[in-house]
Amino acid sequence: MAFAKDFVWGAATASYQIEGAVAEDGRGESVWDTYCKRPGAIWENQSGEVACDHYHHWKEDVALMRKIGLKAYRFSIAWPRVVPDGVGAVNPRGLAFYDRLVDELLAAGIEPWPTLFHWDMPQGAFDRGGWLNRESADWFADYATAVVDALGDRVRSWFTLNEPQCFIGFGHRDSLQAPGLKLSRSEWLRAGHHALLAHGRAVQVIRSRAKGPCRVSWAPVGWSKMPATANRDDIDAAREATFAVTDEMINNAWWMDPVYLGRYPQDGLRLYGADAPKVLPGDMDLIAQPLDLQAFNTYNGQLIRRGADGRPELVPHPTGYPMNFFHGSITPPCLYWTAKFMYERYRLPVVISENGMSNADWVGLDGRVPDGPRIDMLRRYLLELERAADEGVPVAGYFLWSLMDNFEWSHGYKQRFGIIHVDFVTGRRTLKDSALWYRDVIATHGGKLHEGL
Ligand code: FCB
């Protein structure tokens, strides 16, 4: 068996991480522009002001995607380009950029999969209270309306929000990302509830205004727990841990249960008690708009076993475990287990909306970028995803993070996640060995993964 015939081979990026051109064609400021000006907030005080300058290199970038043979491209639309102040007037010049990009992608045979929100909230919306203001769902719906009216005649696949766990958790709770707040628990939970309402509104906008049937999803973090052994008890413990709401920064069920099942999970409600958000009549129906896919971003997983007290217990990775340049572990089975557990619970076809690794890459004297560790990592992970598909999990697609090296949020340009190397001084792009390898994987529909095994 292998990947389904119509399996989507893609790669992903996000607006603030690649576009640059922050003051061009009427773009407003975003919370990330503001946050990057905070001394010490970003590694070496860098910012996305220029980034990959994709705003000017977009044609060249689509040509490179074509060379790799991508079937789909996940990019995000910058809210502050479309509605510069976050609320009110729409900026046609901002929309025109995505209009050109979508046409270029379609002409290259690459399916556009835009994300409506990958963290760059307009500063104007933030100044009106941002996600803490319940009206943020209305502002987001107005912005989504402008986008869908402009692109919905050609775009068939949409993501709404990227990783609410991160922009709420890291951005509003821990002050590790924009907007850099440390809110109380009841406040950040309220902001999160409003973000989920915004998701629901956006799904409604897409369904009602796009000119044709659409595939709609979102891209939360898929926080992965893998059984430490093949024992049934440890597998059950890993499944429980996958959906448990603990005070850990990131969890799945608090965010996903409302969207797929129409309710907050009981253990989360118990944990948060009086801090849980106030749910008004109709909120849950709005949040639980039917979706076509369950997408999630997964990079690595933790090992779990059944503890002596009967509860799931974290098992440390073996000494000397493989790591990426981000200091994250390399754990290929996380794709298998997370796809499996998520499908069991939510029963929708699975899309991996982000997966990849940062590596210490540079262009060699011979002009090549020999990123062997990334190739090996991707190969192992994709084989595990294929294993899930072989066992009957409907796996619909995979988006590699990232198409190109880019601005890695608080880590600045230190982390290189791309399969295309970007020289941030000259703007020059070089296909890494992994890009050429991924091209062959796509061309053989995964056959290349098995070469020599
Ligand atoms: C995810 C983000 C993405 C990128 C990768 C490495 O959390 O969605 O923008 O930063 O991590």
Side-chain angles (χ1 to χ4, degrees):
M1 278 266 293
F3 293 105
K5 263 213 344 253
D6 53 357
F7 184 82
V8 177
W9 297 99
T13 62
S15 46
Y16 189 71
Q17 295 182 274
I18 65 164
E19 287 179 358
V22 292
E24 221 154 310
D25 291 336
R27 177 187 180 274
E29 282 215 311
S30 78
V31 293
W32 270 96
D33 297 283
T34 313
Y35 185 67
C36 290
K37 289 181 191 135
R38 249 193 221 184
I42 313 292
W43 187 69
E44 296 195 346
N45 292 315
Q46 296 169 338
S47 78
E49 208 176 323
V50 179
C52 310
D53 199 22
H54 170 72
Y55 198 76
H56 298 113
H57 288 254
W58 58 280
K59 254 184 191 265
E60 177 189 349
D61 291 337
V62 175
L64 291 172
M65 293 179 217
R66 186 181 207 158
K67 237 183 189 165
I68 297 169
L70 288 190
K71 302 284 183 227
Y73 174 46
R74 174 178 177 228
F75 58 99
S76 81
I77 293 173
W79 183 355
R81 283 198 197 283
V82 177
V83 186
D85 199 28
V87 207
V90 171
N91 171 31
R93 286 183 299 160
L95 277 170
F97 173 69
Y98 301 106
D99 194 65
R100 294 192 290 273
L101 178 64
V102 163
D103 280 345
E104 189 78 6
L105 287 166
L106 290 171
I110 301 166
E111 221 210 319
W113 287 57
T115 304
L116 289 171
F117 183 69
H118 201 126
W119 304 357
D120 40 1
M121 176 181 260
Q123 185 63 36
F126 179 74
D127 292 343
R128 288 173 178 82
W131 294 117
L132 273 173
N133 188 337
R134 198 178 152 96
E135 284 174 29
S136 53
D138 301 330
W139 311 332
F140 193 67
D142 290 346
Y143 152 66
T145 300
V147 174
V148 177
D149 285 356
L151 308 178
D153 56 338
R154 285 152 291 157
V155 171
R156 297 273 71 88
S157 304
W158 300 85
F159 295 105
T160 59
L161 310 180
N162 183 70
E163 296 187 345
Q165 295 106 319
C166 294
F167 70 79
I168 297 296
F170 297 141
H172 292 73
R173 186 183 103 152
D174 297 342
S175 190
L176 293 171
Q177 294 191 346
L181 300 181
K182 280 197 175 170
L183 298 178
S184 68
R185 190 164 78 168
S186 67
E187 286 172 321
W188 66 258
L189 283 166
R190 175 156 35 105
H193 184 67
H194 296 157
L196 291 180
L197 294 174
H199 157 82
R201 293 289 302 276
V203 178
Q204 289 181 329
V205 167
I206 295 165
R207 299 262 191 239
S208 64
R209 302 187 78 96
K211 310 223 167 28
C214 288
R215 289 192 280 194
V216 188
S217 185
W218 64 326
V221 177
W223 196 230
S224 173
K225 315 277 181 178
M226 314 171 295
T229 74
N231 291 345
R232 171 98 345 247
D233 218 19
D234 289 341
I235 295 174
D236 290 343
R239 181 186 295 105
E240 282 163 41
T242 300
F243 298 107
V245 181
T246 64
D247 220 10
E248 224 179 357
M249 185 51 266
I250 297 180
N251 73 71
N252 297 314
W254 181 259
W255 306 90
M256 296 183 189
D257 278 14
V259 166
Y260 301 119
L261 307 178
R263 54 177 151 74
Y264 282 115
Q266 282 305 325
D267 61 343
L269 290 170
R270 267 197 308 276
L271 174 72
Y272 297 139
D275 288 337
K278 193 156 134 218
V279 176
L280 301 187
D283 281 6
M284 283 317 199
D285 287 345
L286 174 58
I287 291 171
Q289 295 299 303
L291 297 180
D292 304 286
L293 301 164
Q294 54 169 327
F296 51 84
N297 304 343
T298 294
Y299 288 85
N300 51 25
Q302 294 171 319
L303 292 170
I304 299 288
R305 71 172 164 229
R306 177 76 65 202
D309 62 357
R311 289 202 284 210
E313 170 180 277
L314 201 66
V315 178
H317 291 304
T319 308
Y321 61 89
M323 272 195 281
N324 57 38
F325 192 64
F326 214 92
H327 295 141
S329 52
I330 303 291
T331 56
C334 69
L335 280 196
Y336 169 81
W337 286 109
T338 312
K340 206 175 159 75
F341 290 154
M342 293 286 182
Y343 180 63
E344 279 172 10
R345 187 171 178 101
Y346 300 127
R347 310 307 295 178
L348 284 173
V350 166
V351 166
I352 306 300
S353 34
E354 283 181 27
N355 173 246
M357 66 168 260
S358 79
N359 194 48
D361 301 321
W362 63 87
V363 182
L365 284 172
D366 60 358
R368 281 182 43 222
V369 185
D371 57 338
R374 177 177 289 108
I375 294 175
D376 190 66
M377 172 262 155
L378 293 169
R379 187 180 188 199
R380 288 172 188 266
Y381 275 63
L382 280 165
L383 283 168
E384 290 287 343
L385 188 62
E386 191 182 38
R387 178 156 76 102
D390 286 348
E391 289 183 17
V393 176
V395 185
Y398 175 86
F399 289 85
L400 197 164
W401 184 275
S402 174
L403 176 69
M404 53 184 143
D405 294 338
N406 58 53
F407 175 72
E408 180 46 42
W409 310 114
S410 331
H411 298 265
Y413 298 95
K414 179 170 54 173
Q415 303 290 348
R416 291 184 177 271
F417 273 89
I419 54 171
I420 298 174
H421 181 275
V422 178
D423 179 325
F424 293 106
V425 177
T426 62
R428 193 187 149 87
R429 277 91 164 121
T430 308
L431 295 186
K432 301 183 189 178
D433 284 359
S434 57
L436 305 174
W437 174 85
Y438 195 44
R439 177 195 62 194
D440 295 348
V441 171
I442 298 171
T444 58
H445 204 61
K448 173 92 177 163
L449 300 170
H450 297 275
E451 198 177 76
L453 290 184

